[in-house]
Amino acid sequence: MQTVVLENLTIGYATKGQEKVVAKGLNAAINSGQLTCLLGQNGIGKSTLLRTLSAFQPKLGGNIKMEGREIAEFTDKELSRIIGVVLTEKPDVRNMSVEELVGLGRSPYTGFWGGLTDEDHAIVRESIQLVGIESLAQRMVHTLSDGERQKVMIAKALAQQTPIIYLDEPTAFLDYPSKVETMQLLRRLAIQQQKTIFLSTHDVELSLQVADCIWLMEPDMLSVGTPRELAAQGALSRFIERADITFDKETLQIRVLC
């Protein structure tokens, strides 16, 4: 099911009355129940696209439709119940437990004082269980490793109970086993919870192994498809290969020539 649809989208910035276009003519769809990874070289516009999809900054043209409605038609409150966002920045919190931080994901549903009901607490516990961090529930956030902290932020997004979750470089700062574990977790959540999960990443090889769909941003082009489809089209070779780097279209493996 297509949850998010881009129609001739233009992204960029409006500064001092002038528009700086980062990318234009973007047409694609993000499906629920799949893990979709956004790849592209530094400076190509991945973060700008993610911020625009998250409604953190306005689009310059075209349409972003969620469940058939244009994103501009949603109120901020509605968006907070539709889109969950996990950023790269580490949460600067102290004297807060993991359970309390995950509980902040319930803020779109709580009253003015932000108190959690029994139902809210049950959702928080379920979110912690889904991510498999029950043993961390009473730990203080500032004592966690990077990998543990990333799982906590994913649990917080789950507690928000949004159909769409966007993540900006969720495997940054993680060691390789933690990168793999995080990507596997996100794909499992997409399939089991039928979430629309879309993330930007520089972990190309891992994405090719785990992702159901790849969005590859290139200058004046957005290629969309499964890893094997983009390999067959030559898009991945254009992105990866250099004088001392080769890409095998059959095995989807990247090799550095020494």
Side-chain angles (χ1 to χ4, degrees):
M1 176 181 174
Q2 294 182 340
T3 307
V4 182
V5 178
L6 280 57
E7 298 176 341
N8 201 32
L9 179 67
T10 298
I11 60 173
Y13 304 88
T15 56
K16 298 180 180 179
Q18 294 184 327
E19 291 186 346
K20 174 178 173 52
V21 174
V22 173
K24 61 182 179 180
L26 304 178
N27 293 280
I30 313 174
N31 298 323
S32 61
Q34 293 186 349
L35 177 63
T36 303
C37 292
L38 174 65
L39 303 178
Q41 65 188 29
N42 288 337
I44 199 69
K46 299 191 300 300
S47 294
T48 304
L49 176 56
L50 204 59
R51 286 195 297 270
T52 306
L53 293 178
S54 304
F56 289 168
Q57 69 183 64
K59 56 186 173 61
L60 298 184
N63 297 301
I64 301 171
K65 293 185 177 179
M66 299 187 302
E67 302 176 345
R69 290 174 60 191
E70 166 60 37
I71 193 171
E73 297 175 6
F74 292 90
T75 65
D76 289 343
K77 185 173 183 178
E78 287 176 323
L79 288 173
S80 72
R81 297 187 178 193
I82 295 172
I83 300 173
V85 181
V86 179
L87 301 175
T88 308
E89 290 81 7
K90 299 176 183 178
D92 185 18
V93 295
R94 303 188 74 83
N95 299 319
M96 180 179 286
S97 71
V98 164
E99 188 172 33
E100 289 170 333
L101 181 56
V102 175
L104 294 180
R106 298 302 299 158
S107 59
Y109 309 93
T110 57
F112 178 79
W113 297 107
L116 301 186
T117 64
D118 289 343
E119 181 183 359
D120 290 323
H121 283 296
I123 291 169
V124 169
R125 288 193 297 271
E126 180 185 10
S127 301
I128 288 172
Q129 290 169 359
L130 283 171
V131 180
I133 55 172
E134 297 95 324
S135 63
L136 302 179
Q138 301 309 315
R139 284 267 302 276
M140 304 306 288
V141 174
H142 70 273
T143 69
L144 302 176
S145 68
D146 289 338
E148 290 170 336
R149 190 182 298 108
Q150 194 62 275
K151 289 180 181 178
V152 171
M153 299 310 293
I154 293 170
K156 176 176 174 288
L158 289 176
Q160 198 173 333
Q161 289 192 314
T162 59
I164 300 168
I165 300 177
Y166 295 135
L167 303 99
D168 184 18
E169 295 285 347
T171 57
F173 314 120
L174 304 185
D175 57 37
Y176 191 74
S178 296
K179 289 177 186 286
V180 173
E181 197 174 61
T182 299
M183 292 288 273
Q184 289 175 327
L185 167 64
L186 291 170
R187 185 167 189 268
R188 185 169 69 250
L189 291 171
I191 295 170
Q192 294 178 353
Q193 303 292 313
Q194 284 299 293
K195 299 280 189 183
T196 300
I197 298 185
F198 180 83
L199 63 92
S200 65
T201 182
H202 283 102
D203 290 315
V204 178
E205 286 186 283
L206 186 53
S207 297
L208 298 183
Q209 295 179 65
V210 179
D212 297 293
C213 182
I214 297 289
W215 286 24
L216 177 59
M217 289 189 74
E218 303 175 85
D220 303 316
M221 185 185 306
L222 176 64
S223 299
V224 176
T226 67
R228 291 206 172 275
E229 286 172 344
L230 295 192
Q233 295 168 14
L236 290 174
S237 294
R238 288 196 305 270
F239 172 55
I240 296 169
E241 291 191 334
R242 300 291 186 272
D244 53 355
I245 305 174
T246 63
F247 174 68
D248 190 313
K249 296 180 180 180
E250 297 300 321
T251 63
L252 302 182
Q253 291 184 332
I254 301 170
R255 183 182 177 193
V256 178
L257 304 178
C258 298

